[in-house]
Amino acid sequence: SAITPPGPGLCIDIMRAPKLILGAATEAPTPDCVNPAGCMFCDFHRDMQNQDYVWSLASYRYCKTLELEQFKSMDNSSHPAAKLIERINNKIEYFKSSDETQNSWVEEAMNRIREGRYHPMFDGFIQLMEVGA
């Protein structure tokens, strides 16, 4: 049985006891069942096989890219958003290379982002970040 987490995807841990994925970078966000970033590095997180999920990943990546752009540092690789973007990129690349249908989901999601149409889960955050930039 899956439950709705704060981030894109599904959570299979009904006890809400997050567990860091094996091999996660030290800069990776800590799973906490509160922050969407934590979902991406939790062992209980599950990807969904549909276009809406891919759109939510692409929107979340764009949101985190805006956050990283606002971070002023000589080395952005140390920012937790950098590892999160890398993880999302890997997930999107998986969908892109899986089959024609999933590749079309990625293409549609990228088109929506270019058009400024963001997944409702992240649209408000993105709008606020764009105004503040």
Side-chain angles (χ1 to χ4, degrees), residues 4 9 12 18 20 29 36 38 46 75 77 84-85 91 97 100 109 123:
T4 304
I12 60 166
L20 189 65
R46 296 297 180 267
D75 180 20
S77 65
L84 180 59
I85 292 166
K91 289 177 176 290
S97 64
E100 193 60 38
D123 184 53

Side-chain angles (χ1 to χ4, degrees), residues 87-104:
R87 178 108 170 113
I88 295 170
N89 283 341
N90 290 339
K91 289 177 176 290
I92 290 174
E93 190 56 40
Y94 167 80
F95 282 102
K96 189 175 181 179
S97 64
S98 289
D99 63 38
E100 193 60 38
T101 299
Q102 293 182 32
N103 181 52
S104 72

Side-chain angles (χ1 to χ4, degrees), residues 9 12 15 22 38 52 64 85 109-111 118 133:
I12 60 166
M15 301 304 292
L22 191 64
D52 187 70
K64 288 299 173 176
I85 292 166
M110 296 303 108
N111 287 336
Y118 311 113

Side-chain angles (χ1 to χ4, degrees), residues 4-5 14 18 41 49 66 69 73 84 96 100 109 114 127:
T4 304
I14 59 171
F41 290 92
Q49 299 295 313
L66 291 173
E69 287 172 356
S73 172
L84 180 59
K96 189 175 181 179
E100 193 60 38
R114 278 191 291 278
Q127 299 299 333

Side-chain angles (χ1 to χ4, degrees), residues 14-87:
I14 59 171
M15 301 304 292
R16 294 289 204 185
K19 177 181 166 191
L20 189 65
I21 59 170
L22 191 64
T26 55
E27 301 89 2
T30 303
D32 62 9
C33 296
V34 176
N35 186 329
C39 293
M40 296 285 106
F41 290 92
C42 182
D43 196 46
F44 299 111
H45 175 266
R46 296 297 180 267
D47 293 324
M48 298 169 64
Q49 299 295 313
N50 62 49
Q51 200 282 321
D52 187 70
Y53 175 68
V54 174
W55 182 31
S56 68
L57 281 176
S59 296
Y60 190 41
R61 178 178 66 183
Y62 180 66
C63 182
K64 288 299 173 176
T65 300
L66 291 173
E67 178 183 326
L68 191 59
E69 287 172 356
Q70 293 176 2
F71 180 66
K72 308 294 183 219
S73 172
M74 295 298 287
D75 180 20
N76 278 352
S77 65
S78 65
H79 193 283
K83 293 299 173 192
L84 180 59
I85 292 166
E86 181 181 313
R87 178 108 170 113

